[in-house]
Amino acid sequence: MRAAAALLPSAADTWGPEEVAVSRPSDALEAQAAAEGAFTSLFLGLGAARPAGRRDRIANVMIISVLERRSEVGLRRALGARRRHIAVQFLGESFVLGICGGIVGVLLGVGATGAYAAYEGLTLRVPPAAVAGGLLAACLLGGLAGLYPATRAARLTPTEALRTT
């Protein structure tokens, strides 16, 4: 390969072989693939960090909701609601928060992908599995985020909850 590369400049331009640069296209392709791999890894890393932040935000909202609604929990428990009823209520609310956030996230993702595709002149194709996966992940994160606040609310006794109002 080196012998052929030494002969190519004089064959390509007999009047100025020193102005001809010979390089292996595979080197440029390898560099491009490495750069694309780095960007893909970066975006996957950023995307993987986002759900943990969303889960923490949902958990914080639900904990504050439990604290602010102690009197409601106490009244419901005094009227006969069982612990599981209270837990299901707060878990349901966290699922709804997760699904709403997932819908917004999927719409923003599709919008950003569509804008990039339009900018590059590409056809937008969003796999249904990606949309379903995003919504499922949001639902699961909402449920996981609501576990602690739901159990905390369910453990409140009616007297304790009504006394702290």
Side-chain angles (χ1 to χ4, degrees):
M1 187 173 88
R2 287 194 173 115
L7 296 174
L8 283 176
S10 59
D13 187 2
T14 55
W15 297 101
E18 67 279 348
E19 295 180 21
V20 176
V22 178
S23 65
R24 293 182 351 184
S26 60
D27 289 342
L29 293 175
E30 286 176 17
Q32 181 182 6
E36 287 175 1
F39 281 125
T40 301
S41 298
L42 173 68
F43 288 134
L44 285 175
L46 289 173
R50 298 296 293 171
R54 298 294 179 218
R55 184 198 66 224
D56 292 346
R57 288 181 183 170
I58 292 172
N60 286 339
V61 167
M62 293 307 300
I63 289 171
I64 291 170
S65 177
V66 168
L67 291 175
E68 289 181 353
R69 295 165 57 194
R70 280 187 187 170
S71 60
E72 174 192 336
V73 171
L75 182 61
R76 286 190 66 210
R77 293 273 289 140
L79 292 175
R82 296 179 187 225
R83 290 178 186 241
R84 72 170 186 259
H85 296 130
I86 303 298
V88 167
Q89 174 189 349
F90 283 96
L91 263 178
E93 290 175 12
S94 66
F95 273 117
V96 169
L97 280 174
I99 288 292
C100 290
I103 290 171
V104 170
V106 165
L107 291 176
L108 286 174
V110 169
T113 304
Y116 179 75
Y119 177 75
E120 292 290 325
L122 303 171
T123 304
L124 174 64
R125 290 189 195 166
V126 178
V131 173
L135 293 176
L136 179 65
C139 183
L140 289 174
L141 287 172
L144 287 174
L147 281 176
Y148 173 72
T151 56
R152 184 173 174 172
R155 287 184 185 151
L156 287 173
T157 62
T159 55
E160 176 189 350
L162 289 171
R163 190 177 319 136
T164 57
T165 58

